[in-house]
Amino acid sequence: MKSLYSKQFLLFIRIASVTFILLLLYLTGHAVYDVFFVRDYGCIFGLVCGPLSIVVLSFVVFKPEKLALFVPPLLLYSISNSIGNANPAFPIIFIELAALLLWIRGFFNTHRGIKITGLVLIYLIPMLFNIRFGLPEFLDQLLDILQIILVTFCTIFILYEYLKSQTVKDKILNLADYPETTERDAKWLTLVQQGVKYEAIAIDYELTLGTVQNRLNKVYHILEIGDRIGFLSIYSNAQIIYKK
């Protein structure tokens, strides 16, 4: 089974991170000019968000499997654009990408309604600032937003249904297909799948916590799934076996 966390995908995340960093460097410099020279204080939020997002994305360059770290910069960029931009339709794309990344990382597996509502409010609250441009213009912008959401939802839903139809429902992960793994690795992954903590595994096998963590991290790397969260998001319902 080809994993989402392949080398090509992680390389793409690194390239995307660097691209966003360069873009944010330019936007932050522009915000500095607007605030201190043009006296456009509506850009202050962007002036704060830019450097913070650059720091987070710099970490993603070295740890691309940490997809969730992409989310804060996307949300901050979306909010700053909603407040400082006369057209709030554009930032909705960044909210959608943030939601997609959170979904991949399994963020919506629990308390889905509350989390989706919170994500919507993150965008709606700053968007309401644009009522200051007048109700007719605000309603036109709202129509643009609804069109973007509708097209994006249809695209994602159709793609999701297609990919689901191409995937075997009963996943079987046979670790024996990966030469560097062992039968013990399969047992450990099954325990992780059941929610058993690394500490408990270490105690049961009379090993140190560091030994268990290092070995499982190596197995995650072999499987190209990034980390524990990546493993659970892909193989949470899979049958894990070791048969040569």
Side-chain angles (χ1 to χ4, degrees):
M1 180 183 298
K2 187 172 178 60
S3 171
L4 173 67
Y5 297 86
S6 63
K7 293 180 180 178
Q8 294 84 352
F9 179 76
L10 296 180
L11 176 61
F12 170 78
I13 293 298
R14 284 193 172 98
I15 294 174
S17 300
V18 172
T19 304
F20 272 112
I21 288 172
L22 294 175
L23 177 62
L24 287 168
L25 285 172
Y26 168 77
L27 293 174
T28 301
H30 201 284
V32 170
Y33 175 79
D34 288 340
V35 171
F36 294 102
F37 295 95
V38 184
R39 306 298 181 183
D40 183 3
Y41 298 109
C43 298
I44 291 180
F45 189 77
L47 185 60
V48 174
C49 294
L52 181 60
S53 298
I54 290 171
V55 171
V56 175
L57 290 174
S58 297
F59 184 79
V60 178
V61 173
F62 298 98
K63 292 287 185 178
E65 66 274 9
K66 304 293 185 181
L67 293 180
L69 290 178
F70 241 112
V71 175
L74 288 170
L75 295 180
L76 291 173
Y77 186 79
S78 179
I79 293 173
S80 63
N81 271 270
S82 298
I83 295 175
N85 196 333
N87 187 357
F90 176 66
I92 192 65
I93 300 174
F94 291 87
I95 288 285
E96 291 173 342
L97 179 56
L100 179 61
L101 292 174
L102 288 172
W103 173 67
I104 290 174
R105 295 293 284 179
F107 179 75
F108 297 110
N109 290 345
T110 59
H111 307 293
R112 185 176 305 171
I114 296 175
K115 292 175 180 178
I116 291 176
T117 301
L119 195 62
V120 171
L121 289 176
I122 287 176
Y123 179 75
L124 287 181
I125 292 176
M127 189 193 73
L128 293 177
F129 282 104
N130 290 280
I131 296 180
R132 67 184 185 273
F133 296 111
L135 186 60
E137 184 174 348
F138 174 76
L139 293 177
D140 288 340
Q141 295 169 351
L142 186 61
L143 181 61
D144 291 340
I145 293 171
L146 293 176
Q147 292 180 78
I148 293 174
I149 293 175
L150 178 61
V151 172
T152 306
F153 175 79
C154 291
T155 302
I156 293 176
F157 180 78
I158 293 171
L159 182 61
Y160 172 73
E161 289 297 320
Y162 172 76
L163 293 176
K164 188 170 65 174
S165 67
Q166 304 298 312
T167 305
V168 179
K169 291 185 178 179
D170 298 323
K171 294 181 182 178
I172 297 178
L173 173 60
N174 186 5
L175 277 193
D177 294 336
Y178 301 87
E180 299 180 56
T181 61
T182 65
E183 187 172 0
R184 189 181 69 173
D185 293 332
K187 293 179 180 178
W188 284 10
L189 289 181
T190 301
L191 292 174
V192 173
Q193 194 182 53
Q194 295 170 355
V196 178
K197 303 295 185 182
Y198 290 176
E199 291 87 347
I201 297 176
I203 292 173
D204 288 344
Y205 284 81
E206 298 181 351
L207 298 169
T208 64
L209 175 60
T211 300
V212 174
Q213 288 177 328
N214 291 336
R215 180 56 193 173
L216 284 173
N217 286 334
K218 184 175 181 180
V219 174
Y220 297 148
H221 178 73
I222 294 171
L223 296 177
E224 296 184 342
I225 52 179
D227 55 12
R228 177 178 173 275
I229 297 177
F231 165 71
L232 292 175
S233 66
I234 297 173
Y235 296 110
S236 60
N237 297 317
Q239 179 185 1
I240 301 175
I241 61 175
Y242 189 88
K243 292 183 179 179
K244 293 186 177 181

